[in-house]
Amino acid sequence: MALTNLTNTYHRDTYPAISSTNPSLSQAGKTVLITGGGSGIGFEIVRSFAKAKASRIIIIGRRITVLEDAVVKLREEFQNTDFIAQQGDISDEVSTTSVWDHLNSNNIFVHVLVLNAAHLSPMGPDTLKMERKDLMEAFNINVWGNFSMTAKFVNQPLRPVGEKLNLVNVSTAGIQMNPAPTQNPYVTSKGTFTALLGRIADEHPVEDVQIISFHPGALYSESGAKYFDKDIIDWDEMALPADFAVWSASPEAAWLHGRFVWAHWDVDELKSDKEITKRLEQESGFLKVAVQGLTEISATSFLKKK
């Protein structure tokens, strides 16, 4: 696997700066909604937000038994956080609307949205041999479903005027692995939505809604086990992306609003690197999903006279 490293330190597990027990990352008093939170990385993200003292965590998924089992385990471990299991399919607009209507009718305002649910399949070496329905399902969930959740989150009727929101997008956009079967609609569709979030971040200042997208790393999960052998690589620890999600939803990450980063990168080194800071200030396309080889492109460049 070819990995791009922007910092000298490359993390495979959590560390003090992003630890969910770090007081500066506290989520006390907040309600957090996590899609796909019943298992795998989603479940670990739920645990990290609970460690960060979130008051209420709502986990959404299609399998209600998985969600209910997860809530039982979470309540045993964290007595000071209220956990709610809510069945929902983000690819279904009726289901998504029902979820948010239920929250609104129960006077539940969500402060933090973590977009973790994703559609991984199909995988294969020849995209043109894939069924249309399989291809569209990936885009239905990874693009439209995530967009629908984002729009309903930002436009909550219960949102107080001036209340800042935090959106965290877990995305493998841009990853390139061998063998070829991993080059599939999942990566393309996740990249599409991550690029769309970059556009939304341009339209909404960080004071309105803080948007951070990050690559979670190489994780051996229930879904990944269907495609990869456990011994194929050295997998990262789940605690790394789980705690990184909490860090991304904190004021500590505000300077990366709208950008796409990797959980492996050391956040202190990122912030102290003057060259990175300079590029963030001068290049609106830096650390965003875009065409390789182009630093930035805008309508202004086409409108300039010779």
Side-chain angles (χ1 to χ4, degrees):
M1 179 167 50
L3 296 174
T4 301
N5 198 17
L6 207 60
T7 62
N8 291 325
T9 303
Y10 185 87
H11 294 283
R12 307 297 296 271
D13 200 350
T14 190
Y15 54 100
I18 66 167
S19 173
S20 51
T21 59
N22 189 330
S24 67
L25 309 183
S26 174
Q27 300 293 311
K30 293 186 177 182
T31 293
V32 183
L33 190 156
I34 301 170
T35 64
S39 61
I41 180 178
F43 182 76
E44 292 304 320
I45 291 175
V46 174
R47 292 185 68 247
S48 284
F49 272 95
K51 291 177 186 177
K53 305 185 186 306
S55 296
R56 182 192 290 122
I57 301 178
I58 304 157
I59 58 175
I60 291 182
R62 289 186 286 190
R63 299 176 295 172
I64 188 61
T65 55
V66 172
L67 298 178
E68 291 174 342
D69 289 345
V71 165
V72 170
K73 296 175 184 177
L74 291 164
R75 287 172 177 165
E76 290 177 354
E77 185 176 5
F78 305 100
Q79 286 79 38
N80 296 321
T81 298
D82 179 24
F83 297 97
I84 299 174
Q86 181 70 44
Q87 186 176 25
D89 180 356
I90 68 169
S91 69
D92 185 331
E93 180 65 11
V94 173
S95 179
T96 302
T97 299
S98 177
V99 167
W100 286 100
D101 285 349
H102 175 76
L103 296 177
N104 292 329
S105 65
N106 284 276
N107 204 35
I108 297 176
F109 170 67
V110 179
H111 303 83
V112 180
L113 173 64
V114 180
L115 297 171
N116 170 70
H119 184 72
L120 288 176
S121 60
M123 288 192 177
D126 192 341
T127 303
L128 292 177
K129 291 183 179 179
M130 293 180 181
E131 294 289 334
R132 180 181 184 276
K133 62 179 181 62
D134 293 332
L135 182 65
M136 291 310 299
E137 187 173 7
F139 278 83
N140 236 2
I141 295 175
N142 299 337
V143 181
W144 168 245
N146 282 325
F147 171 77
S148 181
M149 288 295 293
T150 299
K152 288 176 171 57
F153 169 60
V154 174
N155 297 305
Q156 293 177 82
L158 297 175
R159 182 182 181 184
V161 176
E163 180 76 23
K164 178 182 176 180
L165 302 176
N166 285 277
L167 186 151
V168 179
N169 175 41
V170 184
S171 174
T172 54
I175 189 171
Q176 293 189 9
M177 295 179 67
N178 287 313
T182 56
Q183 309 299 318
N184 64 82
Y186 167 68
V187 175
T188 307
S189 56
K190 290 293 282 186
T192 299
F193 179 68
T194 301
L196 180 60
L197 274 184
R199 168 78 178 189
I200 293 172
D202 289 339
E203 299 169 346
H204 293 262
V206 69
E207 294 81 12
D208 178 31
V209 51
Q210 178 174 308
I211 299 173
I212 307 292
S213 295
F214 76 90
H215 191 297
L219 307 168
Y220 193 74
S221 62
E222 176 188 347
S223 55
K226 298 176 183 177
Y227 306 102
F228 304 105
D229 188 279
K230 191 172 184 178
D231 299 324
I232 192 172
I233 61 170
D234 292 328
W235 302 94
D236 297 319
E237 295 296 326
M238 288 279 192
L240 174 63
D243 278 3
F244 198 90
V246 174
W247 178 84
S248 298
S250 77
E252 297 284 324
W255 61 285
L256 286 173
H257 175 58
R259 311 293 171 149
F260 172 54
V261 295
W262 288 51
H264 296 109
W265 299 343
D266 186 273
V267 297
D268 289 329
E269 290 182 18
L270 273 178
K271 196 168 186 177
S272 63
D273 191 308
K274 294 181 179 178
E275 180 60 27
I276 291 176
T277 301
K278 180 181 178 182
R279 294 192 66 181
L280 285 170
E281 293 174 349
Q282 297 181 354
E283 301 176 25
S284 62
F286 182 55
L287 294 182
K288 289 187 178 180
V289 177
V291 178
Q292 292 185 26
L294 295 179
T295 56
E296 183 175 357
I297 189 167
S298 67
T300 305
S301 61
F302 290 105
L303 298 175
K304 287 181 179 179
K305 294 182 178 179
K306 293 183 178 180

